[in-house]
Amino acid sequence: MDVLSVTSEIYPLVKTGGLADVAGALPGALAAHDFAMRSLVPGYPQVMAALKKGRVVAGFDDLFGGPAQLIAARVQGLDLIVIDAPHLYDRAGGIYVDDTAKDWADNWARYAALSWVAAELAKGLVDGYRPRIIHAHDWQAAMAAAYVAFGGDTETRVVVTIHNIAFQGQYKADIFPMLRLPPAAFHMTGVEYYGGVGFLKGGLRCAHAITTVSPTYALEIQTPQFGMGLEGLLVERASDLHGILNGIDAEEWNPQTDTALAANYGAANTGKRGLNKLALAERFGLEINGGPLFGLVSRLTWQKGIDIVAANVDWLVSLGGRLAVLGSGDPMLEAAMAEAAGRYPGRVGFIRAYDEKLSHLMQGGSDVMLVPSRFEPCGLTQLYGLRYGAVPLVSRVGGLADTVIDANEAAVDAGVATGIQFIPVDGPALGEAIRRTITLYDRPDVWARMQRKGMKTDVSWEKSAGRYAALYNTLLGIE
Ligand code: ADP
Ligand code: GLC
């Protein structure tokens, strides 16, 4: 059965965050359930460069402002349909933002085009290929549901997955006439949102099913605190809303074979992590010996709670900890991290970069993986942490709540703890969690047990791929 995944990023070709990892891993995971997933992606420069052999399967004289072609290709194990539309995607800078970090002014056209093409494919645009299911990720693809609802093939079923409800794709009403939707779509039951156009809103309204990436986030987004204005709609659609946890690509992220590590290891010989810890300390200019090493790999944004980490640096260092931070983002948060590193040479290190390879070493060498997010739909870094024996210290929200078992006394006694959780998401609560973490670290038996328990936790795609497959089958009327 054919499923068309529609995504604005996909690992290993183009990645700004967890969405890419998920979009890159899901097709492989679904193959085991007899779903053939192709991915429709924009032809950004890095995607076009990766296309060696491709087949032109369709062409458009005018795809939202210029000519375009669809190219089918198999790249790095992924079946892709690439939209080669230079006027939309061929430009230097970020995929969503220009060099000054401002959203591209024509993002509405860039992602309306992505969504529109998906609906056309489901209508049979390409001979011999007619996906029955469109699986659209985030606001950039969500409009596929609207294109199907207002003029698509009536048998197509659309699943919209929310990876982060903070990003919604909201525009002024004046773009509506250019969207290729009938006037009726500019309505509460369509894409209209507070007098403008809401891409995610329209998608959520029109989708046959909605998923998000953890059960807890599925509940949270039905509340004003986390719903970012869409909570009412989601409450209405609660019976069509499913929380399905992300998995990780267990081959890409395997400490036993990972070539980015200084030393490979498994749950039976975690002692070898020491070599990775050494390598990591060197990379960050940290003292070689001296207490637990806290690692942070993240976009530096408000969502990720980076400010409350900055507020706890003195405390962490005073308790004997070291901190290694890899990330970039908000200039104020970057400055706070740089300042902390300057203040505590040898104890705090900051590398302002996006470095895939180093992110693996962080997992293989840190004692603790810090994830103090204010909200976190699923989160992947804590899952990598579990798999690599970097014990996650997380806030109890979203997918973090669902994937880490807090080391309270009962859990420690039962031997089921895999990490440390804290709530509320503020400086004092994180400070207390850091203290608790260091106390646990100072009990080597307890710590080792927690590490091993985490490493044995199933964080693969197996279970969740089965849930997506079951959802697709239900939508297709197959029991
Ligand atoms: P989000 O998608 O909200 O950023 P996730 O935890 O789902 O959060 O996914 C983040 C992904 O991006 C992970 O694969 C993580 O390793 C990676 N990542 C984040 N920051 C960096 C960085 N500075 N360098 C390398 N990888 C990073
Ligand atoms: C988003 C979320 C993150 C999630 C990722 C993949 O970027 O912020 O929590 O893990 O999508 O679903």
Side-chain angles (χ1 to χ4, degrees):
M1 198 65 81
D2 287 313
V3 180
L4 181 66
S5 169
V6 189
T7 181
S8 56
E9 46 186 281
I10 190 163
Y11 182 84
L13 303 184
V14 51
K15 165 168 168 177
T16 73
L19 167 60
D21 291 2
V22 171
L26 202 49
L30 282 164
H33 297 270
D34 293 330
F35 283 96
M37 181 173 263
R38 288 194 187 194
S39 304
L40 179 67
V41 294
Y44 310 116
Q46 52 276 60
V47 172
M48 297 309 295
L51 290 184
K52 297 218 171 60
K53 270 191 295 192
R55 206 159 42 87
V56 175
V57 293
F60 308 99
D61 296 334
D62 176 18
L63 181 68
F64 291 80
Q69 293 186 325
L70 296 189
I71 302 173
R74 195 167 163 85
V75 182
Q76 313 231 35
L78 296 166
D79 282 313
L80 303 181
I81 301 176
V82 176
I83 308 178
D84 179 15
H87 64 291
L88 297 174
Y89 308 124
D90 182 16
R91 52 185 81 165
I95 58 174
Y96 307 128
V97 297
D98 64 19
D99 282 332
T100 67
K102 241 181 79 194
D103 284 356
W104 294 110
D106 60 347
N107 271 351
W108 66 269
R110 301 171 74 226
Y111 296 110
L114 175 68
S115 307
W116 181 84
V117 168
E120 291 298 303
L121 284 165
K123 276 203 244 178
L125 174 70
V126 174
D127 271 351
Y129 180 65
R130 192 158 192 179
R132 298 284 307 279
I133 295 204
I134 292 177
H135 188 154
H137 298 280
D138 270 351
W139 75 267
Q140 293 93 338
M143 286 282 278
Y147 287 115
V148 168
F150 293 92
D153 171 83
T154 53
E155 280 176 19
T156 306
R157 291 292 168 267
V158 185
V159 179
V160 170
T161 294
I162 303 168
H163 293 267
N164 194 337
I165 208 162
F167 303 105
Q168 300 187 355
Q170 267 146 312
Y171 298 100
K172 294 213 179 92
D174 58 6
I175 67 156
F176 181 77
M178 280 136 6
L179 287 178
R180 305 184 174 185
L181 284 166
F186 194 73
H187 189 264
M188 255 169 56
T189 56
V191 303
E192 188 274 335
Y193 192 50
Y194 292 111
V197 175
F199 277 34
L200 183 62
K201 184 267 169 180
L204 297 179
R205 183 51 83 192
C206 298
H208 297 93
I210 300 167
T211 71
T212 189
V213 288
S214 68
T216 293
Y217 195 59
L219 295 174
E220 287 171 345
I221 56 179
Q222 296 180 52
T223 68
Q225 191 192 343
F226 293 97
M228 309 252 173
L230 290 171
E231 58 275 6
L233 193 166
L234 289 166
V235 167
E236 260 179 67
R237 299 220 55 191
S239 60
D240 302 312
L241 170 62
H242 312 269
I244 304 178
L245 273 179
N246 289 332
I248 68 169
D249 185 327
E251 275 170 43
E252 193 71 37
W253 293 90
N254 180 355
Q256 289 181 299
T257 54
D258 194 330
T259 54
L261 300 185
N264 291 114
Y265 60 93
N269 55 348
T270 50
K272 288 204 177 158
R273 296 184 88 257
L275 293 169
N276 296 317
K277 192 168 163 179
L278 263 178
L280 198 57
E282 259 167 39
R283 279 293 292 272
F284 282 86
L286 299 176
E287 289 163 14
I288 298 306
N289 287 311
L293 179 52
F294 290 72
L296 176 67
V297 184
S298 184
R299 295 186 284 120
L300 301 183
T301 64
W302 184 83
Q303 172 191 346
K304 300 294 182 178
I306 307 303
D307 53 319
I308 68 171
V309 175
N312 269 289
V313 165
D314 295 340
W315 174 241
L316 187 149
V317 170
S318 76
L319 293 177
R322 287 171 295 164
L323 174 65
V325 179
L326 169 64
S328 61
D330 183 335
M332 298 260 286
L333 297 171
E334 288 180 354
M337 286 303 155
E339 187 270 335
R343 210 146 38 89
Y344 291 111
R347 308 296 299 178
V348 178
F350 172 42
I351 296 182
R352 184 187 161 277
Y354 189 93
D355 185 334
E356 188 76 30
K357 193 161 175 236
L358 182 55
S359 77
H360 284 243
L361 185 63
M362 297 279 289
Q363 298 289 358
S366 304
D367 295 303
V368 182
M369 188 48 51
L370 255 182
V371 196
S373 308
R374 288 198 165 80
F375 63 94
E376 197 60 76
C378 179
L380 295 176
T381 49
Q382 85 281 11
L383 300 181
Y384 301 140
L386 289 171
R387 178 125 167 105
Y388 279 66
V391 174
L393 191 182
V394 305
S395 50
R396 187 178 297 147
V397 298
L400 302 172
D402 293 335
T403 55
V404 174
I405 300 176
D406 178 64
N408 60 45
E409 276 310 310
V412 168
D413 287 348
V416 296
T418 59
I420 295 92
Q421 295 188 335
F422 71 96
I423 196 84
V425 189
D426 60 21
L430 174 60
E432 169 53 22
I434 290 170
R435 193 199 54 74
R436 197 152 65 88
T437 302
I438 293 180
T439 308
L440 288 161
Y441 181 82
D442 288 338
R443 296 163 70 189
D445 293 352
V446 170
W447 191 261
R449 198 160 164 204
M450 198 152 77
Q451 236 178 357
R452 278 199 302 272
K453 188 74 192 165
M455 293 181 78
K456 289 182 176 158
T457 301
D458 181 10
V459 290
S460 76
W461 268 107
E462 209 172 298
K463 252 187 286 174
S464 295
R467 299 215 166 108
Y468 280 116
L471 175 64
Y472 299 157
N473 280 327
T474 305
L475 291 174
L476 294 171
I478 302 168
E479 279 318 313

